[in-house]
Amino acid sequence: MLSIGLIGCGTIGTSICKAIDNGTIEAELVAIYDRHLDDVDKLLSTLKNSKPQVMEVAEMIKNIDLLVECASQEAVYEIIPTALHAHCDVMVMSVGAFSDEKLYKTIRELAKENKCKVYLPSGAIVGLDGLKSASAEEIYSVTLTTQKPPVGLAGAPYIIRNKIDLDKITGKTVIFEGSASEAVKEFPANVNVAATISLTGIGFEKTRVKIVANPALTRNIHEISVEGSFGEFTTRVENVPSPTNPRSSYLASLSAIATLKKLSDPIQTGT
Ligand SMILES: NC(=O)C1=CN([C@@H]2O[C@H](COP(=O)(O)OP(=O)(O)OC[C@H]3O[C@@H](n4cnc5c(N)ncnc54)[C@H](OP(=O)(O)O)[C@@H]3O)[C@@H](O)[C@H]2O)C=CC1
Ligand SMILES: O=C([O-])CC(=O)C(=O)O
């Protein structure tokens, strides 16, 4: 059975651990870690069948087949190269880190050298299958429009640097328009999906991102519009925010669980 170690015991990490614990994912949860040890303890107390050890990455990678990152973009720098050196496969949620071309190339090369896989779930968006198919030929444009309630953008470096008072936003307001490359740096915990789209489609510079704060919403909406030699499509998802982290949509947790489930399934659907 697949042995899993997980870094980041917040919203997505907790959902994954529970899905392993209740048998939805066929795997053994061997080790977990978070920089907030009280969050680790809280999670451990909810698990009925799994008894993971609390270990930092250096120790964890000696005991697992697959390392799951659901922590932060900064964690990707710290842990993913280390795990690949140790021949562990990895699943990354903080995909925005890959806008750093040097990091992306290093991880790609390490994965090849060590015969490892790097799994990047679709996360909070729908339509990655179509984009992947379309990328077999020419794609002319890709645009992501993300709308979140103002609280779903709180804490982003762009909001803080530009002193945007989210409490004062009373109507639908465009907060940011630019490349995916800028978007994932300015909103590292809000639009990792822009990175997954960029890696699948036409890259971080050509992918356009618009971020809208909309106080009338209770859901996180992501719309993707793609034009290419295949024709064009638009997808739209209205995501329920995770109760424990309004920035992260619940679908992102489900997508991580689905990716891990797929690893033990002999039949693989979708492109
Ligand atoms: N690909 C996608 O579609 C999506 C990706 N995400 C991303 O996935 C990641 C997890 O999301 P979510 O579970 O909602 O986040 P949470 O904030 O709920 O949980 C993350 C936990 O990991 C901890 N952490 C961060 N960095 C490290 C580190 N270097 N070492 C150990 N622990 C660390 C955090 O601590 P602290 O609070 O101190 O940072 C926090 O306790 C985030 O980066 C998020 O932006 C989220 C939604 C969709
Ligand atoms: O969960 C979402 O709606 C998207 C998100 O936070 C991310 O991509 O970082």
Side-chain angles (χ1 to χ4, degrees):
M1 196 185 269
L2 188 72
S3 320
I4 292 184
L6 178 140
I7 306 287
C9 299
T11 296
I12 296 175
T14 297
S15 297
I16 294 171
C17 290
K18 286 186 175 165
I20 298 173
D21 194 51
N22 68 24
T24 302
I25 297 167
E26 267 180 53
E28 186 188 357
L29 185 61
V30 170
I32 60 175
Y33 185 73
D34 191 292
R35 59 185 167 203
H36 303 285
L37 289 174
D38 47 336
D39 285 351
V40 178
D41 288 340
K42 209 183 327 160
L43 172 55
L44 282 173
S45 72
T46 67
L47 301 177
K48 296 191 175 73
N49 304 305
S50 310
K51 298 272 173 281
Q53 302 284 308
V54 182
M55 288 176 199
E56 291 197 34
V57 173
E59 195 54 30
M60 194 184 277
I61 53 173
K62 296 179 197 156
N63 296 284
I64 56 170
D65 306 313
L66 173 83
L67 183 123
V68 172
E69 177 283 324
C70 35
S72 59
Q73 289 189 22
E74 125 210 6
V76 174
Y77 285 83
E78 292 162 16
I79 65 175
I80 300 302
T82 311
L84 292 171
H85 273 299
H87 305 281
C88 296
D89 291 332
V90 295
M91 185 176 94
V92 175
M93 291 309 291
S94 307
V95 190
F98 290 148
S99 67
D100 178 341
E101 211 172 316
K102 195 165 158 230
L103 176 73
Y104 179 69
K105 277 192 180 149
T106 302
I107 286 179
R108 214 185 152 83
E109 275 159 27
L110 277 175
K112 269 192 179 167
E113 266 170 36
N114 294 295
K115 299 190 173 29
C116 296
K117 294 283 185 204
V118 178
Y119 300 104
L120 310 179
S122 310
I125 47 167
V126 297
L128 212 61
D129 53 348
L131 182 56
K132 207 187 282 181
S133 304
S135 72
E137 270 205 4
E138 197 180 357
I139 296 178
Y140 312 137
S141 68
V142 181
T143 306
L144 167 72
T145 305
T146 292
Q147 290 191 60
K148 293 196 178 190
V151 66
L153 300 173
Y158 187 88
I159 301 287
I160 294 169
R161 208 182 51 256
N162 291 296
K163 299 189 172 62
I164 298 172
D165 187 346
L166 293 167
D167 293 334
K168 292 223 169 87
I169 293 179
T170 51
K172 193 172 165 182
T173 306
V174 176
I175 298 283
F176 171 90
E177 274 187 282
S179 66
S181 163
E182 290 168 86
V184 297
K185 289 187 191 90
E186 297 286 8
F187 297 87
N190 315 87
V191 289
N192 283 284
V193 289
T196 317
I197 292 169
S198 301
L199 292 169
T200 308
I202 52 175
F204 284 89
E205 299 311 323
K206 288 191 190 145
T207 303
R208 307 304 298 167
V209 178
K210 190 175 182 182
I211 299 175
V212 178
N214 187 345
L217 291 179
T218 54
R219 292 184 170 174
N220 297 327
I221 300 177
H222 299 290
E223 284 175 282
I224 305 170
S225 296
V226 179
E227 290 177 342
S229 58
F230 72 96
E232 58 185 75
F233 72 77
T234 298
T235 68
R236 174 186 166 96
V237 58
E238 294 194 13
N239 281 316
V240 174
S242 299
T244 47
N245 182 357
R247 290 170 303 196
S248 293
S249 303
Y250 187 48
L251 189 68
S253 293
L254 298 179
S255 164
I257 292 169
T259 300
L260 294 172
K261 266 181 79 175
K262 201 164 87 170
L263 297 182
S264 61
D265 196 330
I267 308 284
Q268 303 274 310
T269 55
T271 297

